[in-house]
Amino acid sequence: MTGTDITYDLRMVRWAPNARGRLEQAALELFGERGYDATTVKEIAERAGLTERTFFRHFADKREVLFGGTTLQDGLVGTLAEIPEDTAPLAAVAATLEAAGELFDGRRDLVRQRQALIAAHPELQERELIKLATLGSALAAALRERGIAEPAASLAAEAGMAVFKVAFERWLEDAEEQAFTQHLRDGFAGLKTLTAGA
Amino acid sequence: MTGTDITYDLRMVRWAPNARGRLEQAALELFGERGYDATTVKEIAERAGLTERTFFRHFADKREVLFGGTTLQDGLVGTLAEIPEDTAPLAAVAATLEAAGELFDGRRDLVRQRQALIAAHPELQERELIKLATLGSALAAALRERGIAEPAASLAAEAGMAVFKVAFERWLEDAEEQAFTQHLRDGFAGLKTLTAGA
DNA sequence: CACGCGATGACAGGCACTGACATCACGTAC
DNA sequence: GTACGTGATGTCAGTGCCTGTCATCGCGTG
């Protein structure tokens, strides 16, 4: 138990590379093996050949180790910037979110496994929600920079995130395994129908 | 410090009434006086004339003392049930959320103060977000019980929550202090415009 | 009057997280 | 090539959140 399972030989190299990645890997393994609650930060660190203190130098808290990898937000805001300026706000948001979908379709099983973990732990749901909310705010800010005025910018971003959430859930549960993009488009079409009816 | 500031005389009554309310009150005071982080659960309990252990019998965690009071969800689901069955999904959600607004308009300063606290603490934002998400799920379930099929029910609920969030934020910052209902209607109108344009 | 109930207290303990200081390979300057 | 600074890590002590468990005791009930 005293460091016998360290992957890298510390006699030659002061620090094994990719400490952050090793911590994420170890965390995923342990959460899968014995569950989130039953896993200690100390255990994660030890499996990665590090100490608890070092874990907290890489991640702000225990939950963050599950969310640090996805730089979804930066990528999407960049995507939005590349969309033609004259695109309507909601259409721009929709196009941006489609880019996110491409990240999902390739790793369906991995995403499903991750979501199962999150669904079983309210504290993880909270973290997921604040990540999505932050993404929504970032999209709104990006829209504002394109000249969209304020009620519309936030509204488009938030409505887009609403569709995204529903589409994501349906994509997860879809037995036919249709592409995420398909669910997204269904969602935006459904929203259009709903608002037209009201 | 050994119980000298207890509000009720324990010699006559075994337990002072409304322990939960006293805890909420004490928490609000202390959070206002010295901030959320600088306030200890033990301090809250002591100001309420109770022990830390009893605090956790009334609230699942430290944050919950700020959210336990509002039974917003139950009220709103009940409101939705009273709306005519033939109302369009989004219109029904809009009408339901207007009922929530009436709770706000009377206590503008109180709500503002509370939101300032939440805005300053990510952990409180997380809790707020999961409450809103739960409310959204409850609205979707209520819509389903009225016979709305599944993509539409969640979509209407989530879109409604999106508008609610934007309206709430604008209501908070509104220098003219217009009614919450006004901001809500502006929001739904704005959403309609956005979806029509796309 | 005995008994069970329910809200509370007392106590011990685990785990998440933080601050402060020490260590030590590596790169760089001189 | 020696001295020095840097950066990732280790060590240690400590605080606060939260839980399990058992004891207490006024109150209502039979």
Side-chain angles (χ1 to χ4, degrees), chain B:
Chain B
M1 283 302 172
T2 55
T4 56
D5 51 354
I6 295 180
T7 308
Y8 300 85
D9 188 342
L10 295 186
R11 286 171 303 181
M12 300 305 298
V13 189
R14 175 95 172 99
W15 298 302
N18 194 22
R20 187 185 177 92
R22 270 153 50 216
L23 286 167
E24 289 175 345
Q25 176 71 23
L28 277 178
E29 289 174 12
L30 285 166
F31 292 163
E33 290 172 16
R34 53 184 97 163
Y36 178 81
D37 287 331
T39 304
T40 278
V41 171
K42 193 182 176 200
E43 292 169 343
I44 298 171
E46 280 171 358
R47 178 165 296 199
L50 296 165
T51 61
E52 190 185 6
R53 190 64 183 91
T54 298
F55 176 96
F56 287 110
R57 288 197 178 98
H58 285 279
F59 302 100
D61 55 46
K62 181 182 175 184
R63 300 178 242 170
E64 198 63 19
V65 75
L66 277 171
F67 296 88
T70 65
T71 336
L72 197 59
Q73 182 176 329
D74 302 333
L76 291 193
V77 171
T79 302
L80 180 50
E82 291 172 9
I83 294 173
E85 286 274 344
D86 59 351
T87 310
L90 245 194
V93 171
T96 303
L97 294 178
E98 283 195 15
E102 292 169 14
L103 296 177
F104 293 161
D105 276 319
R107 333 178 184 170
R108 200 176 209 112
D109 290 340
L110 200 78
V111 174
R112 273 202 183 126
Q113 193 176 339
R114 204 184 102 108
Q115 284 310 116
L117 234 183
I118 294 176
H121 297 278
E123 36 184 331
L124 296 177
Q125 293 174 46
E126 290 188 341
R127 183 55 50 88
E128 167 131 303
L129 286 171
I130 205 172
K131 295 282 183 187
L132 287 176
T134 305
L135 173 55
S137 298
L139 289 179
L143 286 176
R144 254 178 269 127
E145 287 204 2
R146 320 176 118 225
I148 313 291
E150 192 22 62
S154 287
L155 228 30
E158 292 290 339
M161 295 306 298
V163 171
F164 179 83
K165 287 181 191 173
V166 175
F168 183 62
E169 201 167 326
R170 305 217 101 215
W171 174 80
L172 278 176
E173 297 170 355
D174 181 12
E176 300 177 20
E177 308 221 335
Q178 296 178 81
F180 184 81
T181 301
Q182 186 57 48
H183 288 288
L184 247 193
R185 289 183 183 155
D186 290 351
F188 277 105
L191 179 62
K192 189 165 184 174
T193 304
L194 280 170
T195 52

Side-chain angles (χ1 to χ4, degrees), chain A residues 15 19 49-51 53-54 57-58:
Chain A
W15 298 301
L50 297 165
T51 61
R53 190 64 184 88
T54 298
R57 288 198 177 99
H58 286 278

Side-chain angles (χ1 to χ4, degrees), chain A residues 28-187:
Chain A
L28 276 179
E29 290 174 10
L30 286 167
F31 293 163
E33 290 172 16
R34 53 185 96 163
Y36 178 81
D37 288 330
T39 303
T40 278
V41 171
K42 193 182 176 200
E43 292 169 342
I44 298 171
E46 279 172 358
R47 178 166 297 199
L50 297 165
T51 61
E52 190 184 8
R53 190 64 184 88
T54 298
F55 176 95
F56 287 110
R57 288 198 177 99
H58 286 278
F59 302 99
D61 55 45
K62 183 181 173 183
R63 299 177 242 170
E64 197 65 18
V65 74
L66 277 172
F67 296 88
T70 64
T71 337
L72 198 58
Q73 182 175 329
D74 302 332
L76 291 193
V77 171
T79 302
L80 180 50
E82 291 173 8
I83 293 174
E85 287 275 343
D86 60 351
T87 310
L90 246 194
V93 171
T96 302
L97 294 177
E98 283 195 16
E102 292 168 15
L103 296 177
F104 293 161
D105 275 321
R107 334 178 185 172
R108 201 176 208 114
D109 291 340
L110 201 78
V111 175
R112 273 200 183 128
Q113 193 177 337
R114 206 185 101 109
Q115 284 309 115
L117 234 183
I118 294 175
H121 298 277
E123 35 184 331
L124 295 177
Q125 293 174 44
E126 289 187 341
R127 183 54 51 88
E128 167 132 303
L129 286 171
I130 205 173
K131 294 282 181 185
L132 287 176
T134 306
L135 173 55
S137 299
L139 289 179
L143 286 176
R144 255 178 268 126
E145 287 204 0
R146 321 176 119 225
I148 313 291
E150 195 18 64
S154 288
L155 228 30
E158 292 290 339
M161 295 306 298
V163 172
F164 179 83
K165 286 181 192 174
V166 175
F168 183 61
E169 201 167 326
R170 303 219 101 214
W171 176 80
L172 278 176
E173 297 169 352
D174 181 13
E176 298 177 20
E177 310 222 334
Q178 296 177 84
F180 184 81
T181 301
Q182 185 58 48
H183 289 287
L184 247 193
R185 290 184 183 156
D186 290 351

